Short mmCIF file of all heavy atoms in Angstrom, two decimals:
data_model
loop_
_atom_site.label_atom_id
_atom_site.label_comp_id
_atom_site.label_asym_id
_atom_site.label_seq_id
_atom_site.Cartn_x
_atom_site.Cartn_y
_atom_site.Cartn_z
N ASP A 3 21.75 -2.93 6.36
CA ASP A 3 21.79 -1.70 5.70
C ASP A 3 21.97 -0.57 6.57
O ASP A 3 21.98 -0.58 7.87
CB ASP A 3 20.46 -1.50 4.86
CG ASP A 3 20.57 -2.26 3.58
OD1 ASP A 3 21.63 -2.52 3.03
OD2 ASP A 3 19.47 -2.70 3.11
N THR A 23 23.54 2.29 21.16
CA THR A 23 24.09 2.53 22.50
C THR A 23 24.45 3.98 22.58
O THR A 23 24.95 4.68 21.76
CB THR A 23 25.37 1.78 22.76
OG1 THR A 23 25.95 2.16 24.00
CG2 THR A 23 26.39 1.86 21.63
N MET A 54 32.15 9.10 11.44
CA MET A 54 31.78 10.23 12.30
C MET A 54 31.21 9.64 13.62
O MET A 54 31.44 10.18 14.81
CB MET A 54 30.74 11.16 11.71
CG MET A 54 31.50 11.90 10.53
SD MET A 54 30.37 12.83 9.44
CE MET A 54 30.19 14.20 10.40
N GLN A 68 30.47 -2.54 -3.56
CA GLN A 68 31.67 -1.86 -3.03
C GLN A 68 32.24 -0.91 -4.16
O GLN A 68 32.76 0.17 -3.79
CB GLN A 68 32.75 -2.98 -2.73
CG GLN A 68 34.04 -2.35 -2.23
CD GLN A 68 35.15 -3.39 -2.13
OE1 GLN A 68 35.15 -4.38 -2.81
NE2 GLN A 68 35.92 -3.32 -1.14
N CYS A 71 29.06 2.16 -4.70
CA CYS A 71 28.75 2.85 -3.62
C CYS A 71 29.52 4.18 -3.39
O CYS A 71 28.92 5.27 -3.28
CB CYS A 71 29.08 2.15 -2.21
SG CYS A 71 27.53 1.41 -1.55
N TYR A 78 26.42 12.47 -3.99
CA TYR A 78 25.51 12.86 -2.93
C TYR A 78 26.09 13.97 -2.05
O TYR A 78 25.58 14.98 -1.77
CB TYR A 78 24.98 11.70 -2.12
CG TYR A 78 24.21 11.99 -0.82
CD1 TYR A 78 23.14 12.93 -0.73
CD2 TYR A 78 24.60 11.24 0.33
CE1 TYR A 78 22.43 13.08 0.37
CE2 TYR A 78 23.95 11.47 1.50
CZ TYR A 78 22.90 12.43 1.59
OH TYR A 78 22.31 12.64 2.72
N THR A 93 33.08 13.71 4.58
CA THR A 93 33.93 14.37 3.64
C THR A 93 34.30 13.34 2.49
O THR A 93 34.10 12.06 2.76
CB THR A 93 35.24 14.91 4.14
OG1 THR A 93 35.86 13.81 4.81
CG2 THR A 93 34.91 15.96 5.24
N LYS A 98 36.33 7.56 1.32
CA LYS A 98 37.39 6.67 1.00
C LYS A 98 37.78 5.74 2.18
O LYS A 98 37.98 4.48 2.01
CB LYS A 98 38.61 7.39 0.55
CG LYS A 98 38.37 8.26 -0.83
CD LYS A 98 39.75 8.78 -1.37
CE LYS A 98 39.44 9.57 -2.63
NZ LYS A 98 39.52 10.97 -2.45
N MET A 152 11.47 -10.26 -8.62
CA MET A 152 11.23 -11.60 -8.94
C MET A 152 11.17 -11.85 -10.46
O MET A 152 10.95 -12.99 -10.87
CB MET A 152 10.14 -12.32 -8.15
CG MET A 152 10.33 -12.39 -6.62
SD MET A 152 11.81 -13.35 -6.16
CE MET A 152 11.18 -14.99 -6.51
N THR A 153 11.05 -10.78 -11.11
CA THR A 153 10.98 -11.00 -12.61
C THR A 153 12.18 -10.40 -13.32
O THR A 153 12.63 -9.14 -12.92
CB THR A 153 9.72 -10.24 -13.20
OG1 THR A 153 9.63 -8.99 -12.62
CG2 THR A 153 8.41 -11.10 -12.87
N THR A 179 0.67 -4.99 -1.47
CA THR A 179 -0.71 -4.96 -1.77
C THR A 179 -0.99 -4.44 -3.21
O THR A 179 -2.07 -3.95 -3.41
CB THR A 179 -1.54 -4.24 -0.72
OG1 THR A 179 -0.85 -2.86 -0.60
CG2 THR A 179 -1.43 -4.76 0.68
N PHE A 192 5.54 4.40 -21.98
CA PHE A 192 6.70 5.22 -21.84
C PHE A 192 7.29 5.66 -23.32
O PHE A 192 7.43 6.84 -23.59
CB PHE A 192 7.72 4.60 -21.04
CG PHE A 192 9.14 5.17 -20.94
CD1 PHE A 192 9.33 6.34 -20.23
CD2 PHE A 192 10.18 4.68 -21.83
CE1 PHE A 192 10.56 6.87 -20.14
CE2 PHE A 192 11.43 5.32 -21.70
CZ PHE A 192 11.62 6.32 -20.97
N TYR A 237 20.69 11.86 -25.00
CA TYR A 237 21.98 12.07 -24.24
C TYR A 237 21.87 11.58 -22.82
O TYR A 237 20.86 11.37 -22.29
CB TYR A 237 22.24 13.68 -24.13
CG TYR A 237 22.45 14.42 -25.40
CD1 TYR A 237 21.36 15.21 -25.97
CD2 TYR A 237 23.49 14.12 -26.24
CE1 TYR A 237 21.51 15.91 -27.12
CE2 TYR A 237 23.66 14.75 -27.45
CZ TYR A 237 22.62 15.68 -27.88
OH TYR A 237 22.79 16.33 -29.05
N ILE A 261 22.28 -10.48 -21.76
CA ILE A 261 23.35 -9.54 -21.86
C ILE A 261 24.72 -10.22 -22.02
O ILE A 261 25.51 -9.88 -22.80
CB ILE A 261 23.36 -8.63 -20.68
CG1 ILE A 261 22.11 -7.77 -20.55
CG2 ILE A 261 24.59 -7.73 -20.68
CD1 ILE A 261 22.14 -6.33 -20.53
N SER A 402 2.72 -5.76 15.16
CA SER A 402 4.00 -5.59 15.73
C SER A 402 3.93 -5.47 17.22
O SER A 402 4.82 -6.09 17.96
CB SER A 402 4.76 -4.40 15.15
OG SER A 402 3.88 -3.33 15.09
N LYS A 429 18.99 32.02 30.57
CA LYS A 429 19.15 30.58 31.03
C LYS A 429 18.06 29.73 30.19
O LYS A 429 17.05 30.36 29.64
CB LYS A 429 18.78 30.45 32.51
CG LYS A 429 19.67 31.13 33.35
CD LYS A 429 19.79 30.42 34.77
CE LYS A 429 19.18 31.10 35.88
NZ LYS A 429 19.85 32.34 36.39
N HIS A 440 5.00 31.64 23.36
CA HIS A 440 4.87 31.83 21.92
C HIS A 440 3.91 30.79 21.29
O HIS A 440 2.99 31.15 20.69
CB HIS A 440 6.28 31.76 21.28
CG HIS A 440 6.30 31.93 19.80
ND1 HIS A 440 5.71 33.07 19.32
CD2 HIS A 440 6.72 31.21 18.86
CE1 HIS A 440 5.82 32.94 17.98
NE2 HIS A 440 6.53 31.87 17.60
N GLY A 501 12.21 32.03 14.66
CA GLY A 501 12.51 32.87 15.81
C GLY A 501 11.41 33.14 16.82
O GLY A 501 10.23 32.86 16.53
#
Side-chain angles (χ1 to χ4, degrees):
Chain A
D3 279 331
T23 170
M54 294 170 82
Q68 180 190 32
C71 259
Y78 165 52
T93 62
K98 294 194 179 100
M152 294 301 284
T153 46
T179 49
F192 169 76
Y237 299 111
I261 299 233
S402 46
K429 296 212 253 292
H440 179 55

